[in-house]
Amino acid sequence: MLAYIVRRLLWTPVLLALAAFFVFFMGTCAPGDPAELRLGPRATEERIKVERTRLGLDRPLLFQYGKYVNGILKGDFGVSYHYQGRPVTELLLPKLWVSVQLNIAALIVAVSIGLPLGFYAAKKQGTGRDPAIVISMLILYAMPIFFTAPLLILFFAVKLHWVPAAGWDGFFSLQIILPALSIGIPGAAIFVRHMRASTLEVIGQEYVRTAHAKGMSNFVVNYRHIARNALLPILTIMGFTLAGMFGGSLIVELIYGIPGAGRLSLDAIFQRDFPVLTALVLLGAGMLVLANLVIDIAYTIVDPRIRLQ
Amino acid sequence: MASATQSDHMIDDLPPARGHWRNVWSKFRRRRLALVSLILITFIYLLGIFAPVIQTHDYQQTDLRRTQQGPSTENWFGTDRAGRDLYTRVVWGIQTTVIITVATFVTGSLILGVSIGLVAGYFRGWIDAVIMRVGEVVSAFPDILLIILLAATLKPRILELARDIEDSTGISGLVSSGIVDYLVIGIAMLPLSWFGMMRLVRGQVLVLRDAEYVQAARAMGTSTPRILYRHILPNVVSPIIVSVSFGLGGIALAEVVLSFFGLGVQPPRPSLGVMIGEVTARGGASVSVLRDHPEQLLAPIIVVWLLIFCWNIVGDALNDVLNPRAQ
């Protein structure tokens, strides 16, 4: 197991460096000369040339990449084209933090709805409730966020006045409920699907039958023998569910007027502010890679079968 | 002798042998929800394919005296802010979805993903290692962000290229026909579409390459491409079909998201994503739209919703029918 963890830990920086190269390369493909964009339209040829040298744009690509990575390691993702001279990090980090909080809230929603419901559906296999849960979750999963989000606002904010319609007021506020639900419900549907499948697999195991035969109470068998073992494979899909929800959160943020990475990326696309866009993509990838790393290592610790292999 | 006649008799009693696919079809047919889903999908796609025939208006034609109308006999789904017929625009939007689905899925997932998967699984070694590592890098990014980045950076380049081609060859209308948009979307979704399929095929091939019938084929001196495509590929078809049917709904959604961010198909060409983006005014206004003119948001969204839902149901059913272990 130690060898596995070490290998993962060694591979992660390489993976991130390759991801950074990809993003950097896409950035150089982007239209517009960074030197020209920084100096504005009235700059003379001469000044642009000086600026290009200063920025190192006349050096080989690999050298520029080295400079880029060096900057990233110091927390410097370059300078925004649109907001003249403001460092990308300063623009991006506060917004990204908002998005991260929103996604954590959504993950809590997804897990707390998805896992119990998936478990319940599996226990009710053979009755009408199992397919009813599966199909209704699939309907919710397929429902585009462009529809769920405004629908939730209309119902809970405009009609019932339970929560504010939009805005952002930190993690512990009423405003976070609706956006977290909008992102979390499709995530919950994914968890239901996997939790149901993995519970069904465990229910058929002999040790479950043995536990029942020993006369243990249903609660203990459900909780200790079935649910705990069924949860293990769920851990591995956590990472990719999170990635899917992050994509959804970009749109949800726009609908709810949350000042997160979604609004920023939309602005960056329209203003052709590529340093901001590339930094956002790279940070998104970095968070995802680290989340998966933590999950995989946690998995080896939680599941002794993997540890022994 | 007696036993032989008896077994002959037993064979006579069995239903006539059927081909694998007929078997699959008869099992699939018994799942009512899946069958209805498949019919719905076919219907929606046919609407898109025959858009020029079944349109009731011109999708560009604006009528400023009839803006934001509700559904009527004249405009079946109503009209949008510019007085354009929503039904016609939805039908044309489906056509866009059909084109993009075919373009990205057939090229990216089927041709690229399957071929690379076959090669990686069959040859193993460093080819496999390189392909897997590349795939890992690609899958390190959150999907939507990667698609957005690719589309945003590539789009101007490809537009430039298309204009150059127009200038130098004298072919006109290349840019305005929308081919460039489809190309951009296709390329942007490429990293997404190939890796999942590749990993699936590779996993299957890793098992099959050591199967006895493959060894026999190899011993008889069959060429490698023939082994790959005639002996191994047919045995990988089932999981490919399942994966394709799960993926097709997602493509429709990805196009909507790209168009919503202004990176997909460009107006005046309608697409479901453009329609949603127009009424929600880049996000904020969707609540008032849903309250005051729900048909403008619902018309394109229900189509996307149905596509995703139906493809998932069909995928589930196919998974049960094609995967012997799931039965």
Side-chain angles (χ1 to χ4, degrees):
Chain A
M1 181 189 67
L2 199 65
Y4 172 76
I5 292 180
V6 169
R7 212 165 51 228
R8 281 299 304 262
L9 286 177
L10 287 177
W11 167 239
T12 301
V14 181
L15 182 63
L16 287 175
L18 288 172
F21 183 75
F22 180 74
V23 165
F24 166 78
F25 181 73
M26 290 317 296
T28 60
C29 285
D33 179 10
E36 265 181 71
L37 284 165
R38 284 182 79 151
L39 293 172
R42 267 180 289 166
T44 56
E45 286 283 321
E46 205 95 327
R47 282 203 54 199
I48 290 172
K49 218 173 161 194
V50 173
E51 184 73 9
R52 281 184 66 87
T53 321
R54 199 179 70 77
L55 291 172
L57 291 174
D58 48 357
R59 306 292 288 268
L61 206 63
L62 269 178
F63 177 83
Q64 290 183 45
Y65 169 66
K67 215 176 140 203
Y68 181 66
V69 170
N70 193 25
I72 290 174
L73 291 177
K74 290 178 190 150
D76 173 18
F77 280 87
V79 174
S80 159
Y81 289 170
H82 183 74
Y83 302 97
Q84 292 282 319
R86 280 188 65 187
V88 170
T89 329
E90 193 187 302
L91 280 169
L92 198 57
L93 281 185
K95 310 247 173 175
L96 208 57
W97 174 231
V98 170
S99 294
V100 167
Q101 285 174 302
L102 182 59
N103 275 285
I104 291 173
L107 189 66
I108 293 172
V109 169
V111 166
S112 56
I113 296 177
L115 298 186
L117 209 57
F119 183 78
Y120 181 77
K123 291 291 286 182
K124 293 287 170 197
Q125 201 198 20
T127 72
R129 276 179 229 171
D130 173 34
I133 290 174
V134 169
I135 288 175
S136 53
M137 283 323 272
L138 195 52
I139 290 175
L140 287 178
Y141 169 76
M143 195 188 279
I145 241 163
F146 304 93
F147 178 60
T148 21
L151 195 69
L152 284 173
I153 297 179
L154 262 189
F155 194 70
F156 289 106
V158 178
K159 267 232 168 75
L160 296 174
H161 294 289
W162 284 0
V163 281
W168 176 253
D169 196 19
F171 188 79
F172 298 100
S173 64
L174 283 174
Q175 272 107 319
I176 205 171
I177 296 175
L178 292 186
L181 275 175
S182 312
I183 311 167
I185 289 174
I190 298 175
F191 280 127
V192 166
R193 192 192 195 102
H194 288 273
M195 186 64 189
R196 180 179 168 274
S198 104
T199 307
L200 280 179
E201 206 143 287
V202 175
I203 282 181
Q205 298 283 333
E206 306 215 321
Y207 63 79
V208 173
R209 196 165 18 136
T210 311
H212 277 299
K214 280 194 299 188
M216 301 183 91
S217 73
N218 267 335
F219 176 79
V220 173
V221 176
N222 279 345
Y223 171 72
R224 205 185 286 163
H225 295 82
I226 301 177
R228 274 175 62 168
N229 284 298
L231 277 173
L232 283 176
I234 303 297
L235 208 54
T236 48
I237 65 152
M238 209 78 118
F240 100 93
T241 311
L242 207 59
M245 292 201 311
F246 190 78
S249 81
L250 296 183
I251 297 155
V252 166
E253 282 171 14
L254 292 173
I255 296 177
Y256 286 92
I258 294 169
R263 167 59 58 188
L264 191 69
S265 56
L266 186 68
D267 291 345
I269 292 168
F270 280 96
Q271 294 150 354
R272 305 207 156 179
D273 202 345
F274 287 103
V276 172
L277 196 58
T278 49
L280 180 68
V281 174
L282 193 55
L283 281 175
M287 289 193 298
L288 191 60
V289 167
L290 291 180
N292 274 320
L293 180 73
V294 171
I295 287 168
D296 284 350
I297 290 178
Y299 196 69
T300 60
I301 294 168
V302 177
D303 191 343
R305 282 170 301 182
I306 303 237
R307 210 184 307 158
L308 290 173
Q309 268 169 19
Chain B
M1 269 316 257
S3 67
T5 45
Q6 198 182 3
S7 65
D8 279 353
H9 192 67
M10 275 169 69
I11 288 170
D12 283 344
D13 284 346
L14 288 170
R18 286 181 300 185
H20 172 64
W21 294 109
R22 276 192 62 185
N23 239 327
V24 165
W25 170 239
S26 79
K27 275 188 210 154
F28 183 86
R29 218 173 30 186
R30 257 175 271 146
R31 291 160 182 271
R32 228 171 299 150
L33 188 60
L35 194 65
V36 171
S37 298
L38 191 65
I39 293 169
L40 258 175
I41 291 169
T42 317
F43 177 68
I44 292 175
Y45 280 16
L46 283 177
L47 279 183
I49 293 166
F50 292 107
V53 185
I54 56 171
Q55 64 176 7
T56 54
H57 293 72
D58 180 354
Y59 66 76
Q60 286 194 55
Q61 177 202 326
T62 56
D63 184 351
L64 293 176
R65 283 162 307 166
R66 295 175 54 81
T67 60
Q68 315 240 48
Q69 303 271 323
S72 63
T73 45
E74 165 70 15
N75 305 100
W76 296 348
F77 294 172
T79 58
D80 67 4
R81 240 180 308 190
R84 292 173 297 192
D85 181 51
L86 281 175
Y87 162 75
T88 303
R89 288 179 66 76
V90 165
V91 170
W92 279 93
I94 297 172
Q95 185 176 68
T96 304
T97 305
V98 172
I99 295 175
I100 287 169
T101 309
V102 171
T104 61
F105 229 78
V106 171
T107 58
S109 185
L110 286 184
I111 297 178
L112 212 65
V114 171
S115 306
I116 295 179
L118 284 174
V119 168
Y122 191 76
F123 292 105
R124 298 194 292 199
W126 65 270
I127 299 180
D128 182 33
V130 169
I131 292 172
M132 285 306 281
R133 293 295 97 82
V134 170
E136 245 175 85
V137 172
V138 172
S139 57
F141 295 96
D143 306 351
I144 302 266
L145 276 181
L146 184 62
I147 298 183
I148 288 174
L149 176 72
L150 282 174
T153 51
L154 288 177
K155 184 160 199 147
R157 294 280 162 186
I158 295 179
L159 262 178
E160 221 170 82
L161 188 74
R163 292 219 176 86
D164 282 352
I165 294 173
E166 272 186 358
D167 289 346
S168 57
T169 58
I171 304 170
S172 61
L174 204 61
V175 175
S176 59
S177 70
I179 290 179
V180 176
D181 295 330
Y182 297 136
L183 196 66
V184 171
I185 297 172
I187 294 177
M189 289 193 195
L190 211 55
L192 253 192
S193 48
W194 74 272
F195 185 61
M197 181 60 78
M198 182 291 244
R199 197 160 42 177
L200 183 84
V201 173
R202 170 183 173 272
Q204 300 279 322
V205 174
L206 276 178
V207 179
L208 284 177
R209 71 185 299 278
D210 295 323
E212 276 176 6
Y213 76 94
V214 175
Q215 286 179 356
R218 213 177 297 143
M220 281 159 63
T222 314
S223 70
T224 309
R226 202 181 154 82
I227 290 181
L228 282 178
Y229 284 97
R230 288 302 291 274
H231 295 268
I232 292 182
L233 188 58
N235 287 294
V236 196
V237 163
S238 299
I240 292 179
I241 291 177
V242 173
S243 145
V244 163
S245 64
F246 277 124
L248 282 174
I251 296 254
L253 186 66
E255 184 272 323
V256 170
V257 172
L258 265 189
S259 297
F260 180 78
F261 279 99
L263 293 166
V265 178
Q266 295 303 305
R269 178 117 193 144
S271 93
L272 301 172
V274 168
M275 291 180 74
I276 293 171
E278 274 170 358
V279 290
T280 56
R282 308 275 168 235
S286 29
V287 182
S288 57
V289 171
L290 197 60
R291 192 183 50 210
D292 304 332
H293 306 285
E295 69 278 355
Q296 290 183 21
L297 191 57
L298 284 177
I301 270 182
I302 286 179
V303 175
V304 178
W305 189 359
L306 274 177
L307 279 179
I308 300 174
F309 178 72
C310 291
W311 274 122
N312 270 290
I313 293 281
V314 170
D316 266 341
L318 284 174
N319 191 31
D320 291 346
V321 171
L322 288 170
N323 184 358
R325 269 178 307 159
Q327 282 168 22

